[in-house]
Every structure is written in structure tokens, then in C-alpha cells.
Amino acid sequence: MLVRVLDKNQFGAWTLFMTTTSILEVVRNGLIGNALVKFLSGAKPEEKTPIITASVTISASLSVFCVILNLIFSHYLSVMWHTPELEPMFYVHNIVTGKQIGR
């Protein structure tokens, strides 16, 4: 549907945005999800609460780190890729990610 609605440059900017944010999300979720499942599956009931607490803490820390990286590199990426519309898209993504951290 986006191919029909957007022109070639807009679709390219959307693709760059989705690729960049998807890589960040896969890395962040993969690091936490795999370790959480591994440790929870073999944990005793009294060990599960500290494991979940550690997982939430690490996930929030990684999210904050990703937001900071995104803030630092959003301008440089938009200039390097000659797509000025990317910078505000990254900022909106940071707002959404920041709201997820607060949940």
C-alpha cells in the first residue's frame, strides 16, 4: 500500500527508518528475551522475582541507551543519507520508546 501512496524518495526514507529502528529493536529484545527465557526456565520459584526484576532493569537501561544513540546519530544519518525527513521520524520514535520505558 505504501508503494502506491508514497513517491520513490518518501518510500526510501520510510525503508531506511524501518530498517534502522528494526535492527535496534531486534538487538534490544533479543538480548533480553533469550536470557530471560533461559534463566526463568531453570529457576526455582523464589529466584524468579529477582530474575524478572533484573530483566526489566536491563531492558529499561538498554532502551535508554538506544534512545540516546538515536538522538546522537539521527541528524548525522539524515544528512549522510540525504533524507532530512528522517530526523523528525527518529525523534518521534524516541518519544514512543520513552513512553514504553515508563510503563
Side-chain angles (χ1 to χ4, degrees):
M1 183 172 159
L2 286 176
V3 174
R4 301 284 182 213
V5 175
L6 302 175
D7 66 13
K8 187 169 46 170
N9 291 333
Q10 290 173 332
F11 187 74
W14 179 253
T15 303
L16 288 170
F17 170 75
M18 287 304 295
T19 302
T20 306
T21 56
S22 295
I23 289 170
L24 282 174
E25 290 300 314
V26 165
V27 167
R28 188 176 64 85
N29 290 329
L31 286 173
I32 300 303
N34 291 340
L36 180 62
V37 169
K38 176 183 175 183
F39 287 111
L40 275 182
S41 65
K44 297 174 185 167
E46 63 272 4
E47 295 173 335
K48 290 187 179 187
T49 302
I51 291 172
I52 292 172
T53 303
S55 176
V56 168
T57 304
I58 293 170
S59 179
S61 301
L62 274 174
S63 295
V64 168
F65 181 70
C66 286
V67 166
I68 291 170
L69 280 179
N70 204 343
L71 287 172
I72 292 170
F73 290 111
S74 61
H75 177 72
Y76 298 115
L77 290 175
S78 69
V79 170
M80 182 177 69
W81 289 331
H82 306 290
T83 51
E85 59 269 1
L86 271 182
E87 191 171 359
M89 290 169 72
F90 282 131
Y91 293 149
V92 170
H93 181 264
N94 287 337
I95 292 169
V96 171
T97 302
K99 288 187 180 233
Q100 289 176 351
I101 296 169
R103 278 198 263 160

